[in-house]
Amino acid sequence: MTLGSHLTPLARSHIEQADVVFAGLSDGIVEKWLERMHPDVRSLQPYYREGKSRLKTYREWVELMMVEVRAGKRVCGVFYGHPGIFAWSPHKVIEVARAEGFEAHMEPGVSAEDCLYADLGIDPGRFGCQHFEASQLLFYERRIDPTGYLVLWQVALVGDRSLGRFATGPAYRQLLVDLLVKDYPPEHEVIIYRAATLPIERPRARRVALRDLALSPLTAEETVVLPPAMPLKPNVAMQAYLEKLDALERVEKIA
């Protein structure tokens, strides 16, 4: 996720030993740094285009990599963050390669989610944590639990059904806000977060009221976090049942 500091020794080894490296990275500077590690780095970024479906772009990425695989080359795809999180192409190219009889695997990496937990001081095990791609909340009926953390990805693109836009406007985000206020008060504080991608950067975290989220400027790299809005409600019936099981276990040990 951050240049230089999040690359594992094993991932570096795969890059250096590859015949060709395809790069889907977050920053041109990171791409230049990668080029110092390998003489044949091919950027995937030029295949993006306004109005062009991202799914079409991702399919092109898969075919570009598979052409080299089929030619007998050792191919390495390098993607920012974890290559399997919010990344269709890495999963698909592995699936296609294996179906054609080639060896393929994915190395885990440090994701924006990992950075988020560290930078915002969130332990997902304390109250629980839900993650949704923001548009899924509009396109499908999903159940939100306001007693835990809610992490929304790609809010800047919320409501985009074309997969061809780089951002949607405030009216689209207002639909998301209208949905969220069914479970959260309008004044509930939300955090707009972006991880650092360069060592000279610092992570960014802006705090706004939920009601103001629609008019807050957002980039595709920013993630929206809603902290818990209410305390956990004890399950009294289940705790009573567990107490009976504990008592029964104590009796059995004595016997």
Side-chain angles (χ1 to χ4, degrees), residues 1 7 13 36 94 107 112 119 132 134 140 159 161 184 195 207 217-218 221 234 242 244:
M1 196 69 204
L7 186 66
S13 175
R36 294 169 57 186
I94 288 174
E107 284 296 322
D119 293 334
F132 293 110
Y140 305 98
R161 295 184 296 168
Y184 298 87
R207 288 168 168 79
L218 287 171
E221 296 81 15
L242 289 169
K244 290 180 182 179

Side-chain angles (χ1 to χ4, degrees), residues 90-168:
H91 286 292
K92 188 63 179 180
V93 74
I94 288 174
E95 176 190 330
V96 172
R98 288 175 176 172
E100 295 185 16
F102 299 101
E103 286 189 20
H105 78 281
M106 180 182 293
E107 284 296 322
V110 177
S111 69
E113 176 187 352
D114 301 308
C115 296
L116 182 151
Y117 294 142
D119 293 334
L120 300 184
I122 292 174
D123 180 355
R126 187 179 180 192
F127 300 114
C129 192
Q130 290 181 297
H131 291 259
F132 293 110
E133 197 277 336
S135 290
Q136 286 190 6
L137 291 183
L138 300 187
F139 298 162
Y140 305 98
E141 295 184 4
R142 307 301 301 263
R143 181 177 296 178
I144 295 173
D145 179 6
T147 66
Y149 287 96
L150 176 65
V151 181
L152 301 178
W153 301 88
Q154 299 180 334
V155 174
L157 295 168
V158 68
D160 176 26
R161 295 184 296 168
S162 70
L163 298 180
R165 285 185 271 186
F166 293 150
T168 52

